[in-house]
Amino acid sequence: PRIQRFFAHKYWAEEHLPSFYLPNCTDFTFRRGDCCEKLILYLPRVKMMNLDANYDLKVLKFLKQGHAAQAQWNLPTQAQHSTFVFSCQNAILGPKVYQELESSGRVLNGIDTEDDDLMMS
């Protein structure tokens, strides 16, 4: 729970990944998550989120509540989660990823969903 910076590069997800509960993470990078189709994240304090070069990511879900075992680090239930800068250079992301990002209201910079090379159907 005390991780402030998470960095993964070229992670081969042969099985579904568990949910990531990172209540103190401010910098989250998951680059080239090969074969990773789904990310479920509790990142209430993140300031920078990088999903560059992910080609298989179809689903992204932001959890509103942290894990009970990390209660002392979780944000209070009604507290607003941070806003963040988002990067997805050279990525092919599914429509549900963009929907989650947009509906979260947390992304500070624009998200370009018009580029056909960056969005899978």
Side-chain angles (χ1 to χ4, degrees), residues 36-101:
C36 178
E37 295 183 357
K38 185 178 194 179
L39 279 178
I40 301 173
L41 307 170
Y42 179 68
L43 295 170
R45 294 176 175 91
V46 73
K47 296 291 182 186
M48 175 63 192
M49 181 173 188
N50 181 330
L51 297 179
D52 291 352
N54 279 282
Y55 305 115
D56 300 312
L57 191 60
K58 296 176 183 160
V59 176
L60 174 67
K61 180 171 174 59
F62 290 118
L63 298 171
K64 304 283 186 209
Q65 272 191 302
H67 196 281
Q70 300 175 350
Q72 72 186 75
W73 294 283
N74 295 336
L75 282 186
T77 306
Q78 301 301 323
Q80 186 172 349
H81 291 210
S82 65
T83 54
F84 56 86
V85 174
F86 177 71
S87 177
C88 63
Q89 292 183 349
N90 301 317
I92 300 173
L93 305 175
K96 290 182 181 179
V97 174
Y98 290 107
Q99 289 169 2
E100 181 71 7
L101 288 164

Coordinates of all heavy atoms in Angstrom, one line a residue, residues 36-101:
C36 N -2.5 -8.4 -22.1 CA -3.4 -7.9 -20.9 C -4.6 -7.3 -21.5 O -4.5 -6.2 -22.2 CB -2.6 -7.0 -20.1 SG -3.6 -6.3 -18.7
E37 N -5.8 -7.9 -21.3 CA -7.0 -7.3 -21.8 C -7.8 -6.5 -20.8 O -8.7 -5.7 -21.2 CB -7.9 -8.5 -22.3 CG -7.3 -9.2 -23.5 CD -8.2 -10.3 -24.0 OE1 -9.3 -10.5 -23.4 OE2 -7.8 -11.0 -25.0
K38 N -7.4 -6.6 -19.5 CA -8.3 -5.9 -18.5 C -7.4 -5.4 -17.3 O -6.6 -6.2 -16.8 CB -9.3 -6.9 -18.0 CG -10.3 -6.4 -17.0 CD -11.3 -7.5 -16.7 CE -12.5 -7.1 -16.0 NZ -13.4 -8.2 -15.7
L39 N -7.6 -4.2 -16.9 CA -6.9 -3.6 -15.7 C -8.0 -3.1 -14.8 O -8.9 -2.3 -15.2 CB -6.0 -2.5 -16.1 CG -4.6 -2.8 -16.6 CD1 -3.9 -1.5 -17.0 CD2 -3.8 -3.6 -15.6
I40 N -8.0 -3.5 -13.6 CA -8.9 -3.0 -12.5 C -8.0 -2.3 -11.5 O -7.1 -3.0 -10.9 CB -9.7 -4.1 -11.9 CG1 -10.5 -4.8 -13.0 CG2 -10.6 -3.6 -10.8 CD1 -11.3 -6.0 -12.6
L41 N -8.2 -1.0 -11.2 CA -7.3 -0.2 -10.5 C -7.9 0.6 -9.4 O -9.0 1.2 -9.6 CB -6.5 0.7 -11.4 CG -5.8 0.1 -12.6 CD1 -5.4 1.3 -13.6 CD2 -4.7 -0.7 -12.2
Y42 N -7.3 0.6 -8.2 CA -7.6 1.6 -7.2 C -6.4 2.5 -7.1 O -5.4 2.1 -6.5 CB -7.9 0.9 -5.8 CG -8.2 1.8 -4.7 CD1 -9.4 2.6 -4.7 CD2 -7.4 2.0 -3.7 CE1 -9.7 3.5 -3.7 CE2 -7.7 2.9 -2.6 CZ -8.8 3.6 -2.7 OH -9.1 4.5 -1.7
L43 N -6.6 3.7 -7.7 CA -5.5 4.7 -7.7 C -6.1 6.0 -7.3 O -6.1 6.9 -8.1 CB -4.9 4.7 -9.1 CG -4.2 3.5 -9.7 CD1 -4.0 3.7 -11.2 CD2 -2.9 3.3 -9.0
P44 N -6.4 6.2 -6.1 CA -7.1 7.4 -5.7 C -6.2 8.7 -5.7 O -6.8 9.8 -5.7 CB -7.6 7.1 -4.3 CG -6.6 6.2 -3.7 CD -6.3 5.3 -4.9
R45 N -4.9 8.5 -5.7 CA -4.0 9.7 -5.6 C -3.1 9.8 -6.8 O -2.2 10.7 -6.8 CB -3.1 9.5 -4.3 CG -3.9 9.6 -3.0 CD -3.1 9.4 -1.8 NE -3.8 9.6 -0.6 CZ -4.4 8.6 0.1 NH1 -4.4 7.4 -0.4 NH2 -5.1 8.9 1.2
V46 N -3.4 9.1 -7.9 CA -2.5 9.1 -9.0 C -2.5 10.5 -9.7 O -3.6 11.1 -9.8 CB -2.9 8.0 -10.0 CG1 -4.2 8.3 -10.8 CG2 -1.8 7.7 -11.0
K47 N -1.3 10.9 -10.1 CA -1.2 12.2 -10.8 C -0.8 12.0 -12.3 O -1.0 12.9 -13.1 CB -0.1 13.1 -10.1 CG -0.5 13.5 -8.7 CD -1.7 14.5 -8.8 CE -2.0 14.9 -7.4 NZ -3.3 15.8 -7.4
M48 N -0.1 10.9 -12.6 CA 0.3 10.5 -13.9 C 0.0 9.1 -14.2 O 0.4 8.2 -13.4 CB 1.8 10.8 -14.1 CG 2.4 10.3 -15.4 SD 1.7 11.3 -16.8 CE 2.2 10.3 -18.2
M49 N -0.7 8.8 -15.3 CA -1.1 7.4 -15.7 C -0.6 7.2 -17.1 O -1.0 7.9 -18.0 CB -2.6 7.2 -15.5 CG -3.0 5.8 -15.9 SD -4.7 5.5 -15.6 CE -4.8 3.8 -15.8
N50 N 0.2 6.2 -17.3 CA 0.8 5.9 -18.6 C 0.4 4.5 -19.0 O 0.8 3.5 -18.3 CB 2.3 6.1 -18.5 CG 3.0 5.8 -19.8 OD1 2.6 5.0 -20.6 ND2 4.2 6.5 -19.9
L51 N -0.3 4.4 -20.1 CA -0.6 3.1 -20.7 C -0.1 3.0 -22.1 O -0.6 2.4 -23.0 CB -2.2 2.9 -20.7 CG -2.9 2.8 -19.4 CD1 -4.4 2.7 -19.6 CD2 -2.3 1.7 -18.5
D52 N 1.1 3.6 -22.4 CA 1.7 3.6 -23.7 C 2.0 2.2 -24.2 O 2.3 1.3 -23.4 CB 3.1 4.3 -23.6 CG 3.0 5.8 -23.4 OD1 1.9 6.3 -23.5 OD2 4.0 6.4 -23.2
A53 N 1.8 2.0 -25.5 CA 2.1 0.8 -26.2 C 1.4 -0.5 -25.7 O 1.9 -1.6 -25.8 CB 3.6 0.6 -26.2
N54 N 0.2 -0.3 -25.2 CA -0.6 -1.5 -24.9 C -1.5 -1.7 -26.1 O -2.2 -0.8 -26.6 CB -1.5 -1.2 -23.6 CG -0.8 -1.4 -22.3 OD1 -0.6 -2.5 -21.9 ND2 -0.4 -0.3 -21.7
Y55 N -1.5 -3.0 -26.6 CA -2.2 -3.3 -27.8 C -3.4 -4.2 -27.6 O -4.2 -4.4 -28.6 CB -1.2 -4.0 -28.8 CG 0.0 -3.2 -29.1 CD1 1.3 -3.6 -28.7 CD2 0.0 -1.9 -29.7 CE1 2.4 -2.9 -28.9 CE2 1.1 -1.1 -29.9 CZ 2.3 -1.6 -29.5 OH 3.4 -0.9 -29.7
D56 N -3.6 -4.7 -26.4 CA -4.7 -5.6 -26.2 C -5.6 -5.2 -25.1 O -6.6 -5.9 -24.9 CB -4.1 -7.0 -25.8 CG -3.2 -7.6 -26.9 OD1 -3.6 -7.6 -28.0 OD2 -2.1 -8.0 -26.5
L57 N -5.4 -4.0 -24.6 CA -6.2 -3.6 -23.4 C -7.6 -3.2 -23.9 O -7.8 -2.3 -24.7 CB -5.6 -2.4 -22.7 CG -6.2 -2.0 -21.4 CD1 -6.1 -3.2 -20.4 CD2 -5.5 -0.8 -20.8
K58 N -8.6 -4.0 -23.4 CA -10.0 -3.7 -23.8 C -10.9 -3.1 -22.7 O -11.9 -2.5 -23.0 CB -10.6 -5.1 -24.3 CG -10.0 -5.6 -25.5 CD -10.6 -7.0 -25.8 CE -9.8 -7.6 -27.0 NZ -10.0 -9.0 -27.2
V59 N -10.5 -3.4 -21.5 CA -11.3 -2.9 -20.3 C -10.4 -2.3 -19.3 O -9.4 -2.8 -18.9 CB -12.1 -4.1 -19.7 CG1 -12.8 -3.7 -18.5 CG2 -13.0 -4.8 -20.7
L60 N -10.8 -1.1 -18.8 CA -10.2 -0.4 -17.7 C -11.3 -0.1 -16.7 O -12.4 0.4 -17.1 CB -9.5 0.8 -18.2 CG -8.9 1.7 -17.1 CD1 -7.7 1.1 -16.4 CD2 -8.5 3.1 -17.7
K61 N -11.1 -0.4 -15.4 CA -12.0 0.0 -14.4 C -11.3 0.6 -13.2 O -10.4 0.1 -12.7 CB -12.8 -1.3 -13.9 CG -13.8 -1.0 -12.9 CD -14.7 -2.2 -12.6 CE -15.6 -2.0 -11.5 NZ -16.6 -0.9 -11.6
F62 N -11.8 1.8 -12.8 CA -11.3 2.4 -11.6 C -12.2 2.1 -10.5 O -13.4 2.3 -10.5 CB -11.3 4.0 -11.8 CG -10.3 4.5 -12.8 CD1 -10.7 5.2 -13.9 CD2 -9.0 4.3 -12.5 CE1 -9.8 5.6 -14.8 CE2 -8.0 4.8 -13.4 CZ -8.4 5.4 -14.6
L63 N -11.6 1.5 -9.4 CA -12.4 1.2 -8.2 C -12.6 2.4 -7.4 O -11.7 3.2 -7.2 CB -11.6 0.1 -7.4 CG -11.4 -1.2 -8.2 CD1 -10.5 -2.1 -7.4 CD2 -12.8 -1.9 -8.4
K64 N -13.7 2.5 -6.8 CA -14.1 3.6 -5.9 C -13.6 3.4 -4.5 O -13.4 4.3 -3.7 CB -15.6 3.9 -5.9 CG -16.2 4.1 -7.3 CD -15.8 5.5 -7.8 CE -16.6 5.7 -9.1 NZ -15.9 6.6 -10.0
Q65 N -13.5 2.1 -4.1 CA -13.2 1.8 -2.7 C -11.9 1.0 -2.7 O -11.7 0.1 -3.6 CB -14.3 1.0 -2.1 CG -15.3 1.8 -1.4 CD -16.2 0.9 -0.6 OE1 -16.8 -0.1 -1.1 NE2 -16.3 1.1 0.7
G66 N -11.1 1.2 -1.7 CA -9.8 0.4 -1.6 C -10.1 -0.9 -0.9 O -11.2 -1.2 -0.4
H67 N -9.1 -1.7 -0.8 CA -9.1 -3.0 -0.1 C -9.2 -2.8 1.4 O -8.5 -1.9 2.0 CB -7.9 -3.8 -0.5 CG -8.0 -5.2 -0.2 ND1 -7.9 -5.8 1.1 CD2 -8.3 -6.3 -1.0 CE1 -8.0 -7.0 1.0 NE2 -8.3 -7.4 -0.3
A68 N -10.1 -3.6 2.0 CA -10.3 -3.5 3.5 C -9.0 -3.6 4.3 O -8.8 -3.0 5.3 CB -11.3 -4.5 3.9
A69 N -8.1 -4.5 3.8 CA -6.8 -4.7 4.5 C -5.9 -3.5 4.5 O -4.9 -3.5 5.2 CB -6.1 -5.9 3.9
Q70 N -6.2 -2.5 3.6 CA -5.4 -1.3 3.5 C -6.1 -0.1 4.0 O -5.8 1.0 3.6 CB -4.9 -1.1 2.1 CG -4.1 -2.3 1.5 CD -3.8 -2.1 0.0 OE1 -4.4 -1.2 -0.6 NE2 -3.0 -2.9 -0.5
A71 N -7.1 -0.3 4.9 CA -8.0 0.7 5.3 C -7.3 2.0 5.8 O -7.7 3.1 5.5 CB -8.9 0.2 6.4
Q72 N -6.2 1.9 6.5 CA -5.5 3.1 7.0 C -4.9 4.0 5.9 O -4.6 5.1 6.1 CB -4.4 2.7 8.0 CG -3.2 2.0 7.4 CD -2.2 1.6 8.4 OE1 -2.5 0.6 9.1 NE2 -1.1 2.3 8.6
W73 N -4.7 3.4 4.7 CA -4.2 4.2 3.5 C -5.2 4.6 2.5 O -5.0 5.5 1.7 CB -3.1 3.4 2.8 CG -1.9 3.1 3.7 CD1 -0.9 4.0 3.9 CD2 -1.6 1.9 4.3 NE1 0.0 3.4 4.8 CE2 -0.4 2.1 5.0 CE3 -2.2 0.7 4.4 CZ2 0.3 1.2 5.8 CZ3 -1.6 -0.3 5.2 CH2 -0.4 0.0 5.8
N74 N -6.4 4.0 2.6 CA -7.5 4.3 1.6 C -8.0 5.7 1.8 O -8.0 6.2 3.0 CB -8.6 3.3 1.7 CG -8.1 1.9 1.3 OD1 -7.2 1.7 0.6 ND2 -8.8 0.9 1.8
L75 N -8.5 6.3 0.8 CA -9.3 7.6 0.9 C -10.6 7.3 1.6 O -11.2 6.2 1.4 CB -9.5 8.2 -0.4 CG -8.4 8.9 -1.1 CD1 -8.9 9.6 -2.4 CD2 -7.7 10.0 -0.3
P76 N -11.1 8.2 2.3 CA -12.5 8.1 2.9 C -13.5 7.8 1.7 O -13.3 8.4 0.6 CB -12.8 9.4 3.6 CG -11.4 9.9 3.9 CD -10.5 9.5 2.8
T77 N -14.5 7.1 1.9 CA -15.5 6.7 0.9 C -16.0 7.9 0.1 O -16.1 7.8 -1.2 CB -16.6 5.9 1.5 OG1 -16.1 4.8 2.3 CG2 -17.6 5.4 0.4
Q78 N -16.3 9.0 0.7 CA -16.9 10.1 0.0 C -15.8 11.1 -0.6 O -16.2 12.0 -1.3 CB -17.8 10.9 0.9 CG -19.0 10.0 1.4 CD -19.8 9.5 0.3 OE1 -20.1 10.1 -0.7 NE2 -20.3 8.2 0.5
A79 N -14.6 10.9 -0.3 CA -13.5 11.8 -0.8 C -13.3 11.7 -2.3 O -13.5 10.6 -2.9 CB -12.2 11.4 -0.1
Q80 N -13.0 12.8 -2.9 CA -12.8 12.9 -4.4 C -11.4 12.3 -4.7 O -10.4 12.6 -4.1 CB -12.9 14.3 -4.8 CG -12.9 14.4 -6.3 CD -13.2 15.8 -6.8 OE1 -13.7 16.7 -6.0 NE2 -13.0 16.1 -8.1
H81 N -11.4 11.5 -5.7 CA -10.1 10.9 -6.2 C -9.4 12.0 -7.0 O -10.0 12.9 -7.6 CB -10.3 9.7 -7.0 CG -10.8 8.5 -6.2 ND1 -10.5 7.2 -6.5 CD2 -11.5 8.5 -5.0 CE1 -11.0 6.4 -5.6 NE2 -11.6 7.1 -4.7
S82 N -8.1 11.9 -7.1 CA -7.2 12.9 -7.8 C -7.5 12.9 -9.3 O -8.1 12.0 -9.9 CB -5.8 12.5 -7.6 OG -5.5 11.3 -8.3
T83 N -7.1 14.0 -9.9 CA -7.1 14.1 -11.4 C -5.7 13.8 -11.8 O -4.7 13.8 -11.0 CB -7.5 15.5 -11.9 OG1 -6.6 16.5 -11.2 CG2 -9.0 15.8 -11.5
F84 N -5.5 13.4 -13.1 CA -4.2 13.0 -13.6 C -4.0 13.2 -15.0 O -5.0 13.4 -15.8 CB -4.0 11.5 -13.3 CG -5.0 10.5 -13.9 CD1 -4.9 10.1 -15.2 CD2 -6.1 10.1 -13.1 CE1 -5.9 9.2 -15.7 CE2 -7.1 9.3 -13.6 CZ -7.0 8.8 -15.0
V85 N -2.8 13.3 -15.4 CA -2.4 13.4 -16.8 C -2.3 12.0 -17.4 O -1.8 11.1 -16.7 CB -1.0 14.1 -17.0 CG1 -0.5 14.1 -18.4 CG2 -1.1 15.5 -16.4
F86 N -2.8 11.7 -18.6 CA -2.9 10.4 -19.1 C -2.1 10.3 -20.4 O -2.2 11.3 -21.3 CB -4.4 10.1 -19.4 CG -4.6 8.7 -20.1 CD1 -4.4 7.6 -19.4 CD2 -5.0 8.6 -21.4 CE1 -4.5 6.3 -20.0 CE2 -5.1 7.4 -22.0 CZ -4.9 6.3 -21.3
S87 N -1.4 9.3 -20.6 CA -0.6 9.0 -21.8 C -0.9 7.6 -22.4 O -1.0 6.7 -21.6 CB 0.9 9.1 -21.6 OG 1.6 8.8 -22.7
C88 N -1.2 7.6 -23.7 CA -1.4 6.3 -24.3 C -0.8 6.3 -25.7 O -1.4 5.8 -26.7 CB -2.9 5.9 -24.4 SG -3.9 7.1 -25.4
Q89 N 0.5 6.8 -25.8 CA 1.1 6.8 -27.1 C 1.4 5.4 -27.7 O 1.7 4.5 -26.9 CB 2.5 7.5 -27.0 CG 2.3 9.0 -26.7 CD 3.7 9.7 -26.6 OE1 4.8 9.0 -26.6 NE2 3.7 11.0 -26.6
N90 N 1.2 5.3 -29.0 CA 1.4 4.0 -29.7 C 0.6 2.8 -29.0 O 1.0 1.7 -29.0 CB 2.8 3.6 -29.7 CG 3.7 4.7 -30.4 OD1 3.2 5.2 -31.5 ND2 4.8 5.0 -29.9
A91 N -0.6 3.1 -28.5 CA -1.4 2.1 -27.9 C -2.7 1.9 -28.8 O -3.1 2.8 -29.5 CB -1.8 2.5 -26.5
I92 N -3.2 0.7 -28.7 CA -4.5 0.3 -29.3 C -5.4 -0.1 -28.1 O -5.2 -1.2 -27.6 CB -4.4 -0.8 -30.3 CG1 -3.4 -0.4 -31.4 CG2 -5.7 -1.1 -30.9 CD1 -3.0 -1.5 -32.4
L93 N -6.3 0.8 -27.8 CA -7.1 0.6 -26.6 C -8.6 0.4 -27.0 O -9.0 1.0 -28.0 CB -7.0 1.8 -25.6 CG -5.6 2.1 -25.2 CD1 -5.6 3.4 -24.3 CD2 -5.0 1.0 -24.4
G94 N -9.3 -0.4 -26.3 CA -10.7 -0.7 -26.6 C -11.6 0.5 -26.2 O -11.2 1.3 -25.3
P95 N -12.8 0.5 -26.8 CA -13.7 1.6 -26.5 C -14.1 1.7 -25.0 O -14.3 2.8 -24.4 CB -15.0 1.3 -27.3 CG -14.5 0.3 -28.3 CD -13.3 -0.4 -27.8
K96 N -14.1 0.6 -24.3 CA -14.4 0.6 -22.8 C -13.4 1.3 -22.0 O -13.6 1.8 -21.0 CB -14.7 -0.8 -22.3 CG -16.0 -1.4 -22.9 CD -16.2 -2.8 -22.3 CE -17.5 -3.4 -22.9 NZ -17.8 -4.7 -22.3
V97 N -12.1 1.3 -22.5 CA -11.0 2.0 -21.8 C -11.3 3.5 -21.9 O -11.3 4.2 -20.9 CB -9.7 1.6 -22.4 CG1 -8.6 2.5 -21.8 CG2 -9.4 0.1 -22.2
Y98 N -11.6 4.0 -23.1 CA -11.9 5.4 -23.3 C -13.1 5.8 -22.5 O -13.2 6.9 -21.9 CB -12.0 5.7 -24.7 CG -10.7 5.6 -25.5 CD1 -10.4 4.6 -26.3 CD2 -9.7 6.6 -25.3 CE1 -9.2 4.5 -27.0 CE2 -8.5 6.5 -25.9 CZ -8.2 5.4 -26.8 OH -7.0 5.4 -27.5
Q99 N -14.1 5.0 -22.5 CA -15.4 5.3 -21.8 C -15.1 5.4 -20.3 O -15.6 6.4 -19.7 CB -16.4 4.2 -22.0 CG -17.0 4.2 -23.4 CD -17.8 2.9 -23.7 OE1 -18.0 2.1 -22.8 NE2 -18.3 2.8 -24.9
E100 N -14.3 4.6 -19.7 CA -14.0 4.6 -18.3 C -13.2 5.9 -18.0 O -13.4 6.6 -17.0 CB -13.2 3.4 -17.8 CG -12.9 3.4 -16.4 CD -14.1 3.2 -15.4 OE1 -15.2 2.9 -15.9 OE2 -13.9 3.3 -14.2
L101 N -12.2 6.2 -18.8 CA -11.4 7.4 -18.6 C -12.3 8.7 -18.7 O -12.2 9.5 -17.8 CB -10.3 7.5 -19.7 CG -9.2 6.5 -19.5 CD1 -8.4 6.4 -20.8 CD2 -8.3 6.9 -18.3

